Amino acid sequence: MPLLWSCHRFEELGADGVYDMLALRAKVFILEQGPYLDPDGADRQAWHLLGRDAGSAALLAYLRVLDAGVKFADVSIGRVVVDARLRGRGVGHQLVREGLALCERQWPGQPITISAQSHLQDFYRRHGFQTVSAEYVDDGIPHVDMRRSG
């Protein structure tokens, strides 16, 4: 299924874009993974990468890129989410590649740090990230910090 990619700062998303982003994140991060406060105040300081179905325009993949200094000293990718119907079809890897390309356009050669769910370390290693912290629990889920050199 081909996705159409677009990237916007928060203020450019519009009401429908914000709604779609929060609805997809809620389906995965709140309904699938357990309750926690997803809107964390960082969305306003981020680029939002949206992957929409080419036919229906439904939002099926999303991530955000936080400006340096918001979560980590480096630029940070987070809230990586793919609709359950598309998992296992390579869309997650496509999403991360699009996110990395965004980072390279905006901050060429700069390192990127992420807070990854521990069970996804191999997934992120395929994109050049290396584990740089001990495991810790965030919102009830084991995580590690990972960094990709610029």
Side-chain angles (χ1 to χ4, degrees), residues 88-100:
R89 299 163 103 182
V91 175
H93 290 291
Q94 183 181 4
L95 174 61
V96 171
R97 284 191 301 271
E98 292 284 338
L100 292 173

Side-chain angles (χ1 to χ4, degrees), residues 2-15:
L3 297 181
L4 299 176
W5 298 100
S6 65
C7 187
H8 310 277
R9 292 297 286 192
F10 184 80
E11 59 274 6
E12 299 167 345
L13 285 172

Side-chain angles (χ1 to χ4, degrees), residues 5 7 9 12 14 31 33 75 90 103 128 130 147:
W5 298 100
C7 187
R9 292 297 286 192
E12 299 167 345
L31 295 177
Q33 296 181 359
V75 169
C103 291
Q130 298 300 316
R147 190 167 194 255

Side-chain angles (χ1 to χ4, degrees), residues 107-119:
W107 304 278
Q110 296 299 307
I112 303 163
T113 301
I114 62 174
S115 174
Q117 292 182 10
S118 294
H119 74 278

Side-chain angles (χ1 to χ4, degrees), residues 64-129:
R64 72 178 181 188
V65 179
L66 297 175
D67 297 334
V70 175
K71 181 169 180 145
F72 296 102
D74 300 329
V75 169
S76 176
I77 292 176
R79 298 295 199 265
V80 178
V81 59
V82 173
D83 187 280
R85 296 170 291 170
L86 295 182
R87 292 190 200 138
R89 299 163 103 182
V91 175
H93 290 291
Q94 183 181 4
L95 174 61
V96 171
R97 284 191 301 271
E98 292 284 338
L100 292 173
L102 165 65
C103 291
E104 187 58 30
R105 285 190 306 272
Q106 294 299 319
W107 304 278
Q110 296 299 307
I112 303 163
T113 301
I114 62 174
S115 174
Q117 292 182 10
S118 294
H119 74 278
L120 294 173
Q121 289 179 79
D122 287 338
F123 172 87
Y124 287 110
R125 280 190 192 107
R126 290 178 60 185
H127 296 279
F129 287 91

Side-chain angles (χ1 to χ4, degrees), residues 6-22 25 43-52 59 62-64:
S6 65
C7 187
H8 310 277
R9 292 297 286 192
F10 184 80
E11 59 274 6
E12 299 167 345
L13 285 172
D16 288 339
V18 171
Y19 179 87
D20 292 348
M21 171 218 8
L22 292 175
R25 286 174 22 181
D43 286 319
R44 289 184 176 95
Q45 300 169 65
W47 286 93
H48 301 271
L49 179 63
L50 301 98
R52 294 186 179 277
L59 183 62
Y62 167 89
L63 65 71
R64 72 178 181 188

